[in-house]
Structures are given as C-alpha cells and as structure tokens.
Amino acid sequence: DAGVTQSPTHLIKTRGQQVTLRCSPISGHKSVSWYQQVLGQGPQFIFQYYEKEERGRGNFPDRFSARQFPNYSSELNVNALLLGDSALYLCASSLIGAGGYEQYFGPGTRLTVT
Amino acid sequence: AQTVTQSQPEMSVQEAETVTLSCTYDTSENNYYLFWYKQPPSRQMILVIRQEAYKQQNATENRFSVNFQKAAKSFSLKISDSQLGDTAMYFCAFMKPSHGSSNTGKLIFGQGTTLQVKP
C-alpha cells in the first residue's frame, strides 16, 4: 500500500506570493495533520482535519488555512508568504482523529521563500 | 500548555554500543501518549516506539526500549547494538488524549537530538 504522499517535493516562492501544498493520506485513513518544521527544529503543529472538519489549530496566523476533501486528501494554503515561512511542511495521516493513534508522515514539501 | 524538552542536541555512539537519548515533558494530564520518532537525513519521519502513560510497563521494540518515569516526567530512549542505519535525528513527542473534538491527535515535539553512529 502507498504511504502518505505530498506534492510538490520542493517549491520556491517569492515574498508576498501564495502557495498550495497537497497531501494524500494512506488509504483508509480519515485524519490528516499538517506540521511546519524549520531547519534544525522539531515540527510544529499547524492543523488537524478529521472527516473533513477542522479538529485542531496550532499557533499560526490566519495566512495559513487548510481543507480536507471527500476523498480525505488535504491542501494547506499559505498567503502573503514571508521569509520566515521557509520550512519543511509535513503531512501526517492517521486512522481516526483520536489521541494515541499513530501518525504516519509523508516525505514533506520543502518551501523556500526568497 | 504541554512542553517537551530534549537537552542533548547532538550525540554520537560507536557501532554495536548502547546509547540513551533523554526527554522530559511537562503536563498536568494524567493520561497521555509519548512517542519517539526517527528522521534520517533527507528521509521521512518514522515512528520508533510509543508509550501509553497508563501503562507501567516500559515499551520495547527490538533494539529500542524506553525508560518511562511518570512521576519525574521523563521518557528516555535506549538504543542497543547501535547500527549505522540508526544515524538520524530523533524526536520525542507528546500527545494528549481526546477530549471531545478538541485538539485530537496533536503531536508536540521536542527540539530533537542528532545521533551519529560511528563505524
């Protein structure tokens, strides 16, 4: 079975632009979470979606938004990009959204803002 | 708010030796979950081991085991018979139990420990 997939792998954007990152969960998984990992640091939680509803939001500005589709795939949107948004964006899927269930991570999207 | 602290930014170990990575956390919850994740260079993050706080028995997975000290809020990872493929960044992570529909499945990560296994 395919694992969590993310696209694109790498992305270079200019300050002020907008970006959309995509994630496909493992088949059968209904929960998707997004994390931001700045180089050399631990991932920071951005959003969790379960059954197409937002179930959790981290301490990120409103420039960050996400959604989950009926097939459980998800998009993360970031508007008005800042240099500080440069990071590895990780998507993780889990069977359900409840605490304790293992989260499986994708390879990430490396976003560089210039 | 919960916090996770890994006080060892970098560690190294000789192949076949044993190494212990430290992790402490802060929470007022009684039930929760703790994880160790491994992130090899330029490769995706994978789960190494998990521990439920209500279980007194320490979790083990082959060469990986934890020392879970709930009262001390400590959760260390021991890697026995270290292999070159264990070279990676290791993250300790905390997850609250579900409380209705709020903050379910949110992982709180430490800063990570870079482990180098030397031949």
Side-chain angles (χ1 to χ4, degrees), chain B residues 2-21:
Chain B
Q2 289 79 18
T3 58
V4 177
T5 302
Q6 294 178 249
S7 58
Q8 304 153 315
E10 296 181 358
M11 294 191 72
S12 64
V13 63
Q14 292 296 130
E15 197 174 5
E17 301 274 302
T18 296
V19 64
T20 298
L21 309 183

Side-chain angles (χ1 to χ4, degrees), chain A residues 65-113:
Chain A
S65 63
R67 55 180 176 170
Q68 186 177 33
F69 298 98
N71 66 353
Y72 301 108
S73 66
S74 177
E75 286 183 351
L76 175 70
N77 295 284
V78 186
N79 294 322
L81 284 166
L82 303 173
L83 294 179
D85 295 331
S86 295
L88 180 68
Y89 288 85
L90 297 169
C91 172
S93 78
S94 60
L95 194 60
I96 65 174
Y101 278 81
E102 179 176 346
Q103 295 194 10
Y104 295 82
F105 284 83
T109 294
R110 174 74 62 188
L111 172 65
T112 301
V113 182

Side-chain angles (χ1 to χ4, degrees), chain A residues 6-25:
Chain A
Q6 293 186 243
S7 63
T9 304
H10 295 89
L11 205 52
I12 300 175
K13 290 287 188 177
T14 304
R15 277 177 298 175
Q17 286 188 316
Q18 175 265 342
V19 68
T20 298
L21 311 181
R22 296 175 175 82
C23 171
S24 292

Side-chain angles (χ1 to χ4, degrees), chain A residues 34-46:
Chain A
W34 287 95
Y35 294 83
Q36 180 196 65
Q37 186 178 19
V38 174
L39 190 64
Q41 297 183 19
Q44 297 289 317
F45 174 78
I46 309 175

